Amino acid sequence: MDHVDEWEVPSRLEGVGRYGHVLFSLAAHALLIVLLYYFGVHRVQLARQSEQVDRQVSAGAALAKRSSVEKRVQDMAKIKDLLDQSRPGAPPSDGAGAVDEPDFSATSLPTRPERLLAQARELSASIAEIEKDLKAAELARIQKIPREQARKLLDAPPPNATPLANGAPPADSAPPPNGAPRANAAPPPNGAPPANGAPGQLAAEIERLETEARAALLRRQQDLAQRQDGVAVTTDASSGEQSGTAPDQEGGGGGAGRIFTGPNDGLSVDGERGMGAIARRMAAFINRDVVLPTGTVRNYSRPGEAIFNPGIGQIPPVDAHRMTKGVGRVLGRGGEFANRVYVNSWYLIGPFDGKHGKGLFSNHRHPPEQGVVLDAAYVGKGGRLLKWRYVSAASYPLVPPDPDEDAVYYGYTELMMDRDQDLTLWLGADDDAQVWVNDAQVWAGGNINKLWFWNVLYDVPNTHARDLNMTEGLRKVHFRKGRNKIFFKMANGPTRLFFSLVLTK
């Protein structure tokens, strides 16, 4: 029998154990390398896919922005057609392509900005020419002179008069802050971007032209509505309707926030048939952008939460038949006559955090109250980044961008006066506003008669929005010649919000 050393087997087992650890370590490191390689490649692939998605989203956003610019030009074409159809003697429309019908088109390649700008400029020139013809026709009707003679009178240099107006300021007046465009004033000859300018410049120019076109449509629609409301209206004999009676100012001449939508398509204004249909289509086009009558409540769902004091008040009356409306912030020589001017051009910022419930009437103070720095940026409600934005509202009343509940907004503008004068401020807000003129506070709304104010504005038929009269109080203020600063703070609680500032003698 062979002799086996008693130490031989343990030494072999010890060698196997020692080398087994080495093998296990090698296998573990190899697996780790494989996992790192796999997940590293996977992460690279995910990063590449994310970058591709970001590029696609950015490209889609750019195309959507170009499409929105194209939509502005399409709207200008509709405005031009409506104005053209409202000319005296224009053939009645068959209703095809009415502006209140949906206008949807899909394309993967919007028109180039250069071409859109050329179209917008051409449409703007056509709209200006139509406006001149309409004014000439009205002047010829009033003075009973040939239309050609009336046109020559309008093309002549304006007389040295200083009416309350919304036109261009005197040549020596100071420009608005940060180079903002003047409301309803023609740009300087070298102010328009070239046809080969940057896309952002071209888009801004198209937006400006479309805003001017909307203002022209609003003026014409208001002219037709004013003449329909008992001033110079006849109706078709076959309609059975009587003429010459103006609707009560607090009655059913349209809902709150609405513009005249004359139900009788056969309406004749100064002998022109079919003006009712044109006025109705104009109103439909304008009213589609009225965002005031929303009613969505998010933060005010608790039952019995009383916020507004009831009380009883009265909205100051307006003689709609003698009213000539205007918009802008330049008052003086060189513009159209107006005796009721809606201040629609503002720098706006918000929303900032606001108090809940009745606390909105003693709200937080935010940096704009320490000083208006138009280039500054602040952290607003929900951590969003806020910057001042220049807004020239095409509709009444002024509704700030990004409306929110329990929020605070600020506005700043400058009124240009050609002389010292006292004017009356017609002020209103939903929910509360404070106003300063040349750094002196002239208005603090407060929780007085608010519930009554909402009921009158929103719950019964009225013409307050049409008459630029969503007003809860009046203040007589002295304005100095030249630049006058106006600053407002607006606090919103539940649902709707708006700010209204109108000037009269």
Side-chain angles (χ1 to χ4, degrees), residues 83 215-227 259-262 278-284 286-287 325 466:
L83 291 173
L217 182 69
L218 181 60
R219 287 192 292 270
R220 180 57 174 164
Q221 191 276 335
Q222 290 173 343
D223 176 62
L224 291 177
Q226 183 179 14
R227 291 158 62 187
I259 297 173
F260 165 70
T261 58
I278 296 300
R280 181 165 55 84
R281 290 173 57 193
M282 286 181 175
I286 295 168
N287 286 337
K325 294 182 251 186
R466 189 199 66 188

Side-chain angles (χ1 to χ4, degrees), residues 263-277:
N264 183 7
D265 290 355
L267 175 70
S268 298
V269 178
D270 298 329
E272 293 295 331
R273 290 286 309 278
M275 287 296 122

Side-chain angles (χ1 to χ4, degrees), residues 370-387:
Q370 308 303 319
V372 175
V373 182
L374 297 178
D375 293 330
Y378 308 103
V379 176
K381 186 178 177 67
R384 71 188 78 183
L385 181 65
L386 298 180
K387 295 183 179 181

Side-chain angles (χ1 to χ4, degrees), residues 429-496:
D430 185 344
D431 290 308
D432 185 50
Q434 302 173 55
V435 180
W436 290 258
V437 176
N438 291 327
D439 301 322
Q441 187 169 6
V442 299
W443 174 259
N447 194 4
I448 302 174
N449 302 335
K450 279 292 184 178
L451 192 58
W452 163 87
F453 188 52
W454 307 150
N455 291 339
V456 170
L457 285 184
Y458 302 134
D459 297 341
V460 296
N462 63 79
T463 62
H464 298 314
R466 189 199 66 188
D467 296 337
L468 306 181
N469 193 28
M470 300 177 73
T471 305
E472 53 184 316
L474 306 178
R475 287 293 183 271
K476 190 172 184 178
V477 177
H478 179 76
F479 290 89
R480 61 200 179 201
K481 180 180 180 180
R483 181 180 301 181
N484 294 264
K485 300 181 295 182
I486 299 185
F487 176 80
F488 74 76
K489 175 183 181 179
M490 185 173 70
N492 186 51
T495 64
R496 314 172 177 91

Side-chain angles (χ1 to χ4, degrees), residues 184-488:
N184 294 331
N190 58 350
N196 59 349
Q201 291 179 314
L202 304 186
E205 176 69 3
I206 292 172
E207 181 179 359
R208 184 186 69 82
L209 295 174
E210 190 232 6
T211 299
E212 291 180 353
R214 285 180 176 273
L217 182 69
L218 181 60
R219 287 192 292 270
R220 180 57 174 164
Q221 191 276 335
Q222 290 173 343
D223 176 62
L224 291 177
Q226 183 179 14
R227 291 158 62 187
Q228 189 270 343
D229 287 337
V231 178
V233 179
T234 61
T235 53
D236 205 24
S238 60
S239 68
E241 299 286 342
Q242 296 182 351
S243 64
T245 302
D248 183 21
Q249 199 168 307
E250 302 295 333
R258 293 179 55 209
I259 297 173
F260 165 70
T261 58
N264 183 7
D265 290 355
L267 175 70
S268 298
V269 178
D270 298 329
E272 293 295 331
R273 290 286 309 278
M275 287 296 122
I278 296 300
R280 181 165 55 84
R281 290 173 57 193
M282 286 181 175
F285 186 91
I286 295 168
N287 286 337
R288 70 180 189 179
D289 294 324
V290 174
V291 297
L292 177 64
T294 60
T296 304
V297 179
R298 297 185 300 277
N299 301 330
Y300 290 83
S301 57
R302 296 196 295 270
E305 185 175 9
I307 302 172
F308 304 111
N309 293 337
I312 297 176
Q314 180 182 10
I315 292 181
V318 172
D319 187 350
H321 301 155
R322 298 182 180 179
M323 174 173 51
T324 303
K325 294 182 251 186
V327 296
R329 57 181 190 80
V330 179
L331 285 74
R333 62 174 62 90
E336 297 179 42
F337 177 83
N339 58 18
R340 191 168 183 82
V341 177
Y342 162 43
V343 181
N344 70 327
S345 299
W346 296 86
Y347 282 98
L348 300 176
I349 191 168
F352 291 91
D353 282 318
K355 294 182 180 180
H356 185 81
K358 285 191 174 182
L360 72 91
F361 294 99
S362 57
N363 230 305
H364 302 299
R365 291 172 59 88
H366 296 283
E369 294 184 59
Q370 308 303 319
V372 175
V373 182
L374 297 178
D375 293 330
Y378 308 103
V379 176
K381 186 178 177 67
R384 71 188 78 183
L385 181 65
L386 298 180
K387 295 183 179 181
W388 290 94
R389 288 181 282 184
Y390 186 77
V391 175
S392 184
S395 59
Y396 173 86
L398 177 73
V399 179
D402 302 326
D404 203 348
E405 294 182 328
D406 295 342
V408 175
Y409 299 81
Y410 296 94
Y412 174 80
T413 193
E414 294 180 356
L415 299 183
M416 304 301 298
M417 304 286 173
D418 66 338
R419 56 188 173 86
D420 289 357
Q421 56 185 311
D422 293 332
L423 298 175
T424 299
L425 278 59
W426 299 58
L427 295 150
D430 185 344
D431 290 308
D432 185 50
Q434 302 173 55
V435 180
W436 290 258
V437 176
N438 291 327
D439 301 322
Q441 187 169 6
V442 299
W443 174 259
N447 194 4
I448 302 174
N449 302 335
K450 279 292 184 178
L451 192 58
W452 163 87
F453 188 52
W454 307 150
N455 291 339
V456 170
L457 285 184
Y458 302 134
D459 297 341
V460 296
N462 63 79
T463 62
H464 298 314
R466 189 199 66 188
D467 296 337
L468 306 181
N469 193 28
M470 300 177 73
T471 305
E472 53 184 316
L474 306 178
R475 287 293 183 271
K476 190 172 184 178
V477 177
H478 179 76
F479 290 89
R480 61 200 179 201
K481 180 180 180 180
R483 181 180 301 181
N484 294 264
K485 300 181 295 182
I486 299 185
F487 176 80
F488 74 76

